[in-house]
Amino acid sequence: MEIPSKGSSWTNESGEIENQKVKDFNILYTNADSLMNKRHELLVRLDDLNFKPHVIAITEVKNKKKNNISVAEFNMKGYCMYTNDFQNCSRGVLIYVQNTIKSKQLYYEKPLQEVVTVEIEGQKDTLTICNIYRSPNSPEDNNKCLNNFIENLATKTSGKLIVVGDFNYNDIIWENGTATSAFSNNFIEVLREIFLIQNVVSPTRGRGTDEPHLLDLVPIVLKSWAALERTA
């Protein structure tokens, strides 16, 4: 996918002005479990990378015990920031997009509280990136709302679609697509029906003596168009 850099151009040998194009589109996703006290760690991580991510998606932005927080505290130089409503959610999700790329936030009727969706305009098509957080204590009605939201999102999206996030389905065995709980199996069926492909294959969460689990997912429609960098 070719993404034009907003407001950026160059002159070719014929003297014609052409838009710059992004050939390799890089996305970094992480679960911060409170970004406020890990911003420096994130900046160090970005400096260590041999590329500057065009998109950064983060879940569990807020501290569990701190609800009164300003979105402006998370602004990052060189990026446009899109978030859900931090005042009416438990953990918060956000997406950074390089400010040289044309992007906008999308809103849907009856959305989940812990979701943010952004559309990026390419030369020939669009890329929709959706970042979701599902609590491990999510009730059944929220599980159904999540499945319906993803189905509707895939239906309404005409271009490419990437869904990232922390879904906390720790009983799903992604190697064979099975699970022990009904709500996890329902989630698997939703991904199959709309042809979303899960791309994370190794555990993303392990603390102390706890068994590592694959909780953070990157289901996408097509594998070949983007380079994905995932960090826990």
Side-chain angles (χ1 to χ4, degrees):
M1 181 177 184
E2 294 182 338
I3 305 291
S5 296
K6 182 172 60 177
S8 181
S9 62
W10 62 284
T11 304
N12 61 21
E13 295 179 353
S14 301
E16 298 171 330
I17 297 177
E18 298 184 4
N19 288 328
Q20 292 181 354
K21 298 177 182 178
V22 177
K23 294 181 179 179
D24 295 318
F25 195 81
N26 300 294
I27 300 173
L28 184 146
Y29 163 76
T30 189
N31 180 306
D33 193 16
S34 180
L35 181 60
M36 183 57 67
N37 60 352
K38 296 174 183 173
R39 292 187 66 186
H40 177 71
E41 182 179 341
L42 173 63
L43 294 176
V44 170
R45 170 64 172 167
L46 294 176
D47 286 339
D48 287 341
L49 294 175
N50 58 6
F51 61 89
K52 181 181 179 182
H54 298 92
V55 173
I56 303 171
I58 303 176
T59 53
E60 290 197 276
V61 176
K62 295 168 54 181
N63 187 292
K64 292 180 180 178
K65 299 180 180 179
K66 186 179 180 181
N67 290 320
N68 186 18
I69 195 168
S70 171
V71 174
E73 296 180 63
F74 299 102
N75 284 326
M76 187 159 59
K77 185 178 180 180
Y79 288 88
C80 298
M81 181 178 64
Y82 303 97
T83 75
N84 65 329
D85 184 357
F86 279 4
Q87 302 304 318
N88 293 294
C89 70
S90 60
R91 300 311 307 272
V93 292
L94 65 77
I95 294 177
Y96 293 110
V97 181
Q98 281 188 20
N99 58 16
T100 57
I101 295 173
K102 190 173 182 180
S103 61
K104 65 180 180 181
Q105 187 165 355
L106 301 179
Y107 298 91
Y108 300 94
E109 295 181 5
K110 298 182 180 179
L112 298 166
Q113 284 190 344
E114 301 281 15
V115 61
V116 57
T117 307
V118 172
E119 182 182 87
I120 293 173
E121 184 176 326
Q123 290 281 9
K124 298 179 181 179
D125 56 5
T126 59
L127 167 65
T128 299
I129 303 175
C130 181
N131 187 18
I132 297 174
Y133 173 71
R134 173 188 172 273
S135 167
N137 302 314
S138 175
E140 181 61 27
D141 59 342
N142 187 68
N143 294 333
K144 291 180 179 178
C145 184
L146 169 62
N147 291 345
N148 291 336
F149 175 81
I150 293 177
E151 283 185 305
N152 292 334
L153 179 65
T155 301
K156 294 178 180 179
T157 301
S158 58
K160 297 177 176 66
L161 170 65
I162 293 182
V163 181
V164 302
D166 184 355
F167 291 83
N168 283 297
Y169 286 115
N170 59 12
D171 62 321
I172 296 180
I173 302 174
W174 289 102
E175 288 83 354
N176 56 23
T178 62
T180 56
S181 64
F183 58 82
S184 293
N185 278 303
N186 290 337
F187 180 72
I188 294 172
E189 286 304 311
V190 168
L191 297 187
R192 285 174 175 167
E193 289 175 3
I194 57 181
F195 303 105
L196 280 174
I197 304 168
Q198 157 63 339
N199 279 258
V200 180
V201 295
S202 59
T204 60
R205 184 72 58 83
R207 293 177 178 172
T209 58
D210 293 344
E211 180 184 355
H213 292 289
L214 202 168
L215 305 181
D216 304 288
L217 310 181
V218 184
I220 67 176
V221 176
L222 292 174
K223 294 182 180 179
S224 60
W225 77 273
L228 294 175
E229 170 72 17
R230 198 243 165 245
T231 180

